[in-house]
Amino acid sequence: SIFVQVQQPLSPNMTFWPLRLFVFFSCTFLHQIRCFSWPSKALGRAGTGRFATSDNDDADKLLSKAELLRREIDDFEQRKRAEEEEEQRQIDEAKAEKQATRNRYSAVVPILKPDGNSQLERCDFKPRWQDGSSYITTIEANLPLGVILGESEQFAAATEVDEVGEDSNGFAAGLRVGDILHACTACKVEMEMPTWQLLAGGIGVPKTKTFMYQADGRPFEEIMEAIGSNRQDPENKPVLLVVERRD
């Protein structure tokens, strides 16, 4: 009867055949991915060679597409890196050009701070020549300079070097005819009053301070006084001149 047949024990081969089929096809699939020759032979002997060949073709196509995609990604990344490097190069060049322009039209000079001390700082000066043919430089020379300064005939409210005496301090320092004066050191005397003098009602102690005098747009007589004021320097330091010179 059907009931008796169902209750009969199954043979071990019949019990595990689904698992064996699962393992077989799993192994077949893995080998098909790793080595494409084995499935065709194994399945060919089982009479399914056409399906194995088709699967191999599909796998080859997938691998080809994957390889093509990988190459496209590599090409894209290389182009992206090249674009980023080119963009960074242009940024660096622009920064370098800007810094070079600033260095050309600036000078490091001592700046008097509120506490009475001087600190070296780079200051920018607007060039008189706008064609890029000039540059800013500094000259240190002892007084007397031995040069003749005058009002520029080419630029308004500008002072330039008209003559440089031979064997003069200005000549030895490197001043040239045609140099445009932008700034120079100047000295001023201020009364400093220590706390004990302030309490005692004293008038203070005179102290000479050196500062940078801006010559652009200033009256000619005032500029001459500023240069001459360096004689008051107790340390007898040379005059620092900021001039614009053509190449």
Side-chain angles (χ1 to χ4, degrees), residues 6-228:
V6 172
Q7 292 297 325
Q8 288 180 353
L10 299 175
S11 64
N13 293 333
M14 295 181 62
T15 304
F16 295 101
W17 72 265
L19 180 59
R20 290 181 178 180
L21 286 177
F22 174 79
V23 173
F24 172 79
F25 285 109
S26 297
C27 293
T28 301
F29 176 78
L30 291 175
H31 281 283
Q32 183 177 355
I33 296 300
R34 296 177 181 176
C35 52
F36 299 97
S37 60
W38 184 86
S40 60
K41 294 180 180 179
L43 296 178
R45 289 195 297 268
T48 56
R50 291 178 302 168
F51 299 100
T53 302
S54 176
D55 291 340
N56 288 339
D57 294 340
D58 293 341
D60 291 339
K61 292 179 180 179
L62 289 176
L63 285 177
S64 299
K65 291 181 179 180
E67 180 65 19
L68 180 60
L69 180 60
R70 184 186 65 80
R71 292 179 180 177
E72 291 178 352
I73 293 175
D74 291 342
D75 293 340
F76 173 78
E77 291 179 348
Q78 291 179 0
R79 291 195 303 270
K80 187 65 175 178
R81 284 193 297 268
E83 292 175 357
E84 292 175 351
E85 291 176 356
E86 177 63 20
E87 182 179 358
Q88 186 62 42
R89 185 188 65 80
Q90 294 179 0
I91 293 175
D92 293 340
E93 287 183 353
K95 288 182 178 179
E97 182 178 355
K98 184 177 180 180
Q99 185 61 41
T101 301
R102 192 194 178 202
N103 292 341
R104 187 177 182 89
Y105 298 111
S106 65
V108 177
V109 296
I111 301 299
L112 183 63
K113 298 299 180 179
D115 59 1
N117 296 319
S118 296
Q119 183 176 348
L120 293 177
E121 295 182 2
R122 179 171 290 277
C123 297
D124 301 315
F125 297 91
K126 185 177 180 180
R128 293 285 184 166
W129 284 282
Q130 300 296 322
D131 56 359
S133 62
S134 63
Y135 62 94
I136 297 294
T137 186
T138 56
I139 302 291
E140 287 185 324
N142 293 317
L143 293 177
L145 295 178
V147 302
I148 297 178
L149 301 177
E151 297 182 13
S152 175
E153 297 180 357
Q154 185 176 1
F155 304 108
T159 300
E160 68 178 39
V161 178
D162 290 336
E163 295 183 19
V164 179
E166 294 184 2
D167 300 327
S168 65
N169 291 330
F171 179 83
L175 280 173
R176 300 179 185 176
V177 174
D179 287 346
I180 300 293
L181 181 65
H182 280 274
C184 66
T185 53
C187 293
K188 62 181 179 180
V189 179
E190 294 182 349
M191 301 300 292
E192 287 192 353
M193 184 175 296
T195 304
W196 67 270
Q197 284 192 350
L198 181 63
L199 295 176
I203 60 174
V205 178
K207 185 176 181 180
T208 303
K209 295 182 179 181
T210 302
F211 64 99
M212 289 303 301
Y213 172 82
Q214 182 75 28
D216 290 332
R218 306 304 303 171
F220 179 75
E221 294 78 9
E222 185 178 300
I223 294 174
M224 298 303 294
E225 291 178 1
I227 296 175

